[in-house]
Amino acid sequence: INLLTDSLPAIALGLEPHRDEVMGEKPRPRDEGILTRSFLTSVGVEGLVIALAAIAAFHTGLRHGEAVGSTMAFATLCLSRLFHGFNCKAERPVLLTKQFWDNRWLLGAFAAGAALLGAVLLVPTLEPLFRVTKLSAGLLAAVVGLSAGSMLVIQLLKALCARKQAADPH
């Protein structure tokens, strides 16, 4: 999973274009660590959303057999992590903004990761190596829907948190 979903997006996020607004932000307090309570909460909630998508995929596929369930969980986890790269661009939602599209490296990493995942799922000689089984078009659509849905849920949660912070800046 890490080879398919983490390496290229992580490098691409390191090449994220700068934002002019960053110079207007206040620096964090000297005694504040990098792993703040809000950051760790965010990581936990986002991980939970992705985990729930993978669990839903497993249970959806389980109706067709254990191999299909585990393949769907694997594929959903991989694709959700690729989508999650876009969530990591900013603390605020980026989905319907120019910022979503401004990192060509991240777009390329997403495409490359999705192509690799597609190869694992669609090339029969790779099935035994990754212990996956063939999925129908409908089940592949469910994988894409659950994976994209995890990104949408996280973007919505970011929007709600941003709205709450704007209403209560303390």
Side-chain angles (χ1 to χ4, degrees), residues 3 16 31-32 35 62 66 76 97 144 153 158 166:
L3 290 174
E16 186 72 17
D31 60 339
E32 182 180 81
L35 301 176
L62 195 56
E66 189 176 323
T76 301
T97 69
V144 172
V153 167
K158 285 183 179 227

Side-chain angles (χ1 to χ4, degrees), residues 8 12 16 26-28 36 38-39 43 59 75 88 96 102-103 107 113 116 125 140 144 146-147 152 156-157 168:
L8 292 177
E16 186 72 17
K26 293 181 181 179
R28 64 180 169 82
T36 63
S38 67
F39 176 76
V43 168
H59 283 287
C88 295
L96 300 174
D102 68 357
N103 185 340
L107 295 169
L116 288 170
T125 56
L140 284 171
V144 172
L146 287 165
S147 301
L152 295 173
L156 178 63
L157 291 172
D168 182 28

Side-chain angles (χ1 to χ4, degrees), residues 2-89:
N2 288 334
L3 290 174
L4 287 174
T5 61
D6 286 343
S7 302
L8 292 177
I11 293 168
L13 283 169
L15 300 171
E16 186 72 17
H18 74 279
R19 296 182 352 258
D20 292 334
E21 309 89 63
V22 75
M23 295 307 291
E25 294 176 10
K26 293 181 181 179
R28 64 180 169 82
R30 181 179 287 209
D31 60 339
E32 182 180 81
I34 295 172
L35 301 176
T36 63
R37 173 182 243 160
S38 67
F39 176 76
L40 292 174
T41 300
S42 175
V43 168
V45 168
E46 292 170 16
L48 181 62
V49 169
I50 292 170
L52 289 173
I55 291 168
F58 178 76
H59 283 287
T60 299
L62 195 56
R63 296 179 196 145
H64 304 277
E66 189 176 323
V68 173
S70 63
T71 298
M72 286 188 67
F74 168 76
T76 301
L77 184 57
C78 288
L79 192 55
S80 292
R81 301 272 303 271
L82 288 169
F83 274 115
H84 190 60
F86 296 101
N87 290 326
C88 295
K89 289 174 68 79

